[in-house]
Amino acid sequence: SGMEPLLACSGLRRTFGDRVAVEGITFHIDPGETYGLLGPNGSGKTTTIRMIMNIILPDRGEIAVLGRRGTDAARDDVSYLPEERGLYKQMQVRRLLRYYGRLKGRPAKELDPVITRWLERLNMAPWADKRIDQLSKGMAQKIQFIAAVVSQPKLLILDEPFSGLDPVNMELMRDTILQMKREGRTVIFSTHVMAQAEEICEF
């Protein structure tokens, strides 16, 4: 198609001591694709994501984000929802979301309408001024998701986005990802549940 892939990984290998976590991983993702990393826990999904996010480096292989290689690749355009969720407990929801958006270089006045829209979309608007530690686990997880999308990244990486959600919020999360897919956003998510991958992914 002549279109440059948004993300290209070739021949990735990563070891931890004697353990080979990732071996020979090669794939690329074009703009607008929804890509699932499917596999049991311990199969290297999080390691692969951390290499894409430049949190750890591959022993071998190459990663290009938006055509840029190396450690300064376009990380402001990539957002990551880690499986190990952690938010600043004392911060108010809206302030926290502004903080995450600004970390990615987005101006505050651009962020506020986006934050409001996402809070409404995930039924969290009434909690905008509450502190994180006043939220239930499921609510905090939805806020963490918004923190990842609020900068309107070109590539959104979700590590096990459904884990720990109740059925109602799981469906809301699935619908949200499908909606982003319809909007032409590019999403990678990892899961160990085949049915989730089949529902959402082209690949």
Side-chain angles (χ1 to χ4, degrees):
S1 66
M3 188 167 54
E4 184 163 51
L6 213 144
L7 171 71
C9 297
S10 60
L12 296 184
R13 174 186 166 95
R14 176 66 208 221
T15 54
F16 296 97
D18 295 338
R19 191 170 69 79
V20 178
V22 168
E23 177 67 87
I25 294 271
T26 296
F27 65 95
H28 74 271
I29 298 175
D30 291 321
E33 284 181 355
T34 306
Y35 194 96
L37 295 172
L38 179 69
N41 292 332
S43 58
K45 300 188 301 290
T46 298
T47 300
T48 300
I49 287 171
R50 285 184 173 153
M51 288 190 285
I52 295 167
M53 285 308 298
N54 209 26
I55 295 166
I56 57 175
L57 297 176
D59 302 332
R60 251 214 317 275
E62 212 170 47
I63 298 170
V65 180
L66 297 169
R68 306 219 295 272
R69 283 179 184 70
T71 49
D72 64 340
R75 294 303 188 267
D76 270 2
D77 292 312
V78 184
S79 211
Y80 171 43
L81 175 72
E83 188 181 7
E84 289 303 312
R85 323 261 193 244
L87 292 165
Y88 300 99
K89 301 268 183 259
Q90 319 292 305
M91 261 174 115
Q92 286 170 313
V93 166
R94 188 182 287 278
R95 286 187 41 199
L96 179 93
L97 294 173
R98 277 186 195 137
Y99 169 75
Y100 276 105
R102 284 207 300 263
L103 275 183
K104 296 283 186 187
R106 305 297 183 263
K109 63 176 188 300
E110 241 174 64
L111 284 167
D112 280 339
V114 178
I115 290 170
T116 300
R117 203 163 63 237
W118 274 108
L119 288 170
E120 284 167 2
R121 197 157 157 181
L122 295 188
N123 306 326
M124 289 301 295
W127 285 273
D129 300 320
K130 296 270 187 281
R131 284 172 19 157
I132 298 299
D133 57 14
Q134 295 172 293
L135 306 180
S136 72
K137 187 171 176 276
M139 286 177 180
Q141 198 154 331
K142 289 199 282 188
I143 294 305
Q144 183 120 34
F145 174 83
I146 297 174
V149 297
V150 78
S151 62
Q152 299 179 305
K154 295 201 170 92
L155 174 63
L156 176 64
I157 303 178
L158 307 170
D159 198 357
E160 295 279 355
F162 303 99
S163 73
L165 289 176
D166 60 77
V168 171
N169 280 322
M170 202 177 277
E171 195 166 330
L172 182 64
M173 182 64 67
R174 192 200 65 201
D175 291 347
T176 301
I177 295 171
L178 287 170
Q179 174 67 30
M180 295 179 85
K181 179 177 170 173
R182 285 194 294 275
E183 290 167 6
R185 298 197 172 274
T186 311
V187 182
I188 302 179
F189 76 97
S190 75
T191 179
H192 58 277
V193 184
M194 185 70 181
Q196 287 171 355
E198 285 177 332
E199 268 183 321
I200 292 175
C201 290
E202 291 110 334
F203 303 99

